[in-house]
Amino acid sequence: MDEKKINGEMTQEQKTISESAEEERPIQGEQPVRGEQAGGGERAAEAEQEAPKKKRSPIRIAIALGLLAYAVFILARQYIFIPGEYEAPPTESPAAESAADSTPEPTPYIQKIPVKMYFTEREISFPVEKVGLVPYTDAKGNEMTNEQGQPIYTMGTIDSEKVAAWLEGGPSPGEYGNALFNGHVSWKKVAGVFSVLPKMEIGEEIVVEYDDGSTMSFLVTSNDIYNIDSVPDEVMAFYTEDARMTLITCYGESWNSGIGTRNERCVVVAKPANPDEIIFPNYEDSDSG
């Protein structure tokens, strides 16, 4: 056989083999079909898993922030009083003023009952309810006695953070004597209307509204903190040598587990802004028979 022919045939054969190899060789930069299917499937699965995560992530953040805000609100409302809509104290009508200036017919004295109180400079208003004396009890509800074995009584309270209590049977605010009020610093972990007492300043105005629609203005004259065992007797005394009202609430974080209350008291005293408005309930003539 001719050597050139043989070489030519071999060259042609080599060419054919080379072309076949090129057909089987993948284009540079591409992966084999099987590998492409496997790799693409894995990436698709990963993308499907990551997509929900990306969608859930903002939702989880929003829920976490919401829970945090709620926790802060619950904690804050125990220590910070959030007043409702403020209602300014009513003003007396000209007819009422002219009637007050006229000489009234002698009538038996009728005590005016406080029904509402206003911390005007703080724009806080709230109702007042009557309470009486109740047995003093410990944290377990057992009635306490003094050294002589006699029961101890204390002023009742109202189970609400939105209401103050006035001790009936004693002077009404504005009468000669000491009108007693109490209120919760907090009730069921919600700050009460009297939680602002520790911040009150001398000269601050407090207005009392009575059941007949009239009002009287008082000015703060003192603001003191006492240990529960060191409260002066005059704080709870009915009869003082002036006209005043005393507002009392719990104070501090120290807790007395034995009697179920805080160990300190905040006591605010306020006196009539106009001494001429002081009421002397003893209307009887001292010189009469």
Side-chain angles (χ1 to χ4, degrees):
M1 186 177 293
D2 188 271
E3 186 177 352
K4 290 183 179 180
K5 185 176 181 181
I6 294 173
N7 290 338
E9 289 177 358
M10 290 176 64
T11 303
Q12 182 65 34
E13 185 179 351
Q14 290 172 353
K15 184 178 178 182
T16 303
I17 294 171
S18 176
E19 288 176 354
S20 300
E22 287 179 358
E23 289 177 0
E24 293 180 2
R25 187 184 302 121
I27 299 173
Q28 186 176 2
E30 292 187 356
Q31 299 293 329
V33 174
R34 184 177 297 175
E36 184 178 333
Q37 290 176 346
E42 290 176 0
R43 285 197 297 272
E46 290 176 0
E48 288 178 0
Q49 290 177 357
E50 289 177 0
K53 289 182 180 179
K54 290 180 180 179
K55 291 180 180 179
R56 287 197 300 266
S57 181
I59 297 175
R60 287 178 177 176
I61 292 173
I63 292 173
L65 290 175
L67 292 173
L68 178 61
Y70 180 73
V72 170
F73 170 74
I74 293 296
L75 182 63
R77 71 174 187 167
Q78 184 176 354
Y79 298 98
I80 301 174
F81 176 69
I82 303 175
E85 184 178 353
Y86 177 66
E87 229 179 89
T91 56
E92 294 184 7
S93 64
E97 291 178 357
S98 60
D101 292 338
S102 62
T103 303
E105 293 292 328
T107 55
Y109 175 73
I110 299 176
Q111 187 180 54
K112 296 197 293 185
I113 307 300
V115 294
K116 201 163 187 179
M117 187 174 285
Y118 304 81
F119 297 157
T120 55
E121 297 175 36
R122 299 175 183 274
E123 296 191 347
I124 297 173
S125 58
F126 48 90
V128 173
E129 296 183 15
K130 299 182 290 185
V131 296
L133 293 175
V134 296
Y136 198 67
T137 59
D138 60 20
K140 297 181 180 179
N142 301 316
E143 294 187 10
M144 301 180 69
T145 58
N146 57 20
E147 295 177 354
Q148 289 74 37
Q150 299 170 332
I152 301 174
Y153 291 90
T154 188
M155 180 180 176
T157 57
I158 303 295
D159 291 343
S160 171
E161 77 282 0
K162 300 177 181 179
V163 179
W166 167 67
L167 183 56
E168 67 174 337
S172 177
E175 290 182 351
Y176 196 75
N178 186 18
L180 295 171
F181 293 83
N182 70 30
H184 291 291
V185 65
S186 67
W187 176 254
K188 293 186 176 180
K189 296 185 178 181
V190 179
V193 291
F194 272 20
S195 64
V196 302
L197 290 191
K199 301 176 184 177
M200 281 196 162
E201 299 178 356
I202 306 302
E204 195 166 327
E205 183 186 51
I206 301 173
V207 172
V208 174
E209 181 182 347
Y210 302 93
D211 56 347
D212 63 357
S214 63
T215 60
M216 186 178 290
S217 176
F218 297 77
L219 300 178
V220 173
T221 58
S222 65
N223 188 342
D224 298 291
I225 305 297
Y226 300 104
N227 185 279
I228 192 172
D229 297 323
S230 305
V231 178
D233 292 339
E234 67 176 9
V235 168
M236 298 299 294
F238 276 160
Y239 304 108
T240 54
E241 296 181 355
D242 57 8
R244 65 172 66 181
M245 64 177 183
T246 300
L247 285 60
I248 309 168
T249 192
C250 297
Y251 181 79
E253 297 299 323
S254 177
W255 185 259
N256 190 320
S257 58
I259 55 179
T261 186
R262 302 180 194 231
N263 277 318
E264 295 177 292
R265 294 290 181 267
C266 177
V267 178
V268 171
V269 174
K271 298 182 179 182
N274 183 1
D276 294 335
E277 295 182 348
I278 295 175
I279 302 168
F280 296 88
N282 186 9
Y283 59 89
E284 295 181 355
D285 185 359
S286 59
D287 295 332
S288 61

